[in-house]
Amino acid sequence: MFQQLKSGFMQWSFEVTNYLRAEVVDLEPHEYCVLATFTIAIGFVLLSGRR
């Protein structure tokens, strides 16, 4: 069962990596800033709930 979970996670991470390489590489500079802002905001919300 562990091997199946590991295999599924590896396949999922490979697909996500390929998608990000295909989509994120062609972003404009302002799109990188928007993506970074959303990432930071989501991280802040998730981490602030642990207080």
Side-chain angles (χ1 to χ4, degrees):
M1 181 173 166
F2 179 73
Q3 288 290 66
Q4 196 174 20
L5 288 173
K6 181 180 173 185
S7 174
F9 178 75
M10 293 297 286
Q11 182 179 0
W12 176 79
S13 64
F14 179 74
E15 290 175 10
V16 169
T17 303
N18 283 342
Y19 174 77
L20 289 176
R21 282 188 187 149
E23 296 295 325
V24 176
V25 171
D26 296 332
L27 292 179
E28 296 292 322
H30 69 277
E31 293 173 326
Y32 281 115
C33 292
V34 169
L35 183 63
T37 303
F38 279 124
T39 304
I40 291 169
I42 291 169
F44 178 76
V45 168
L46 290 176
L47 290 176
S48 66
R50 298 183 69 180
R51 291 182 191 182

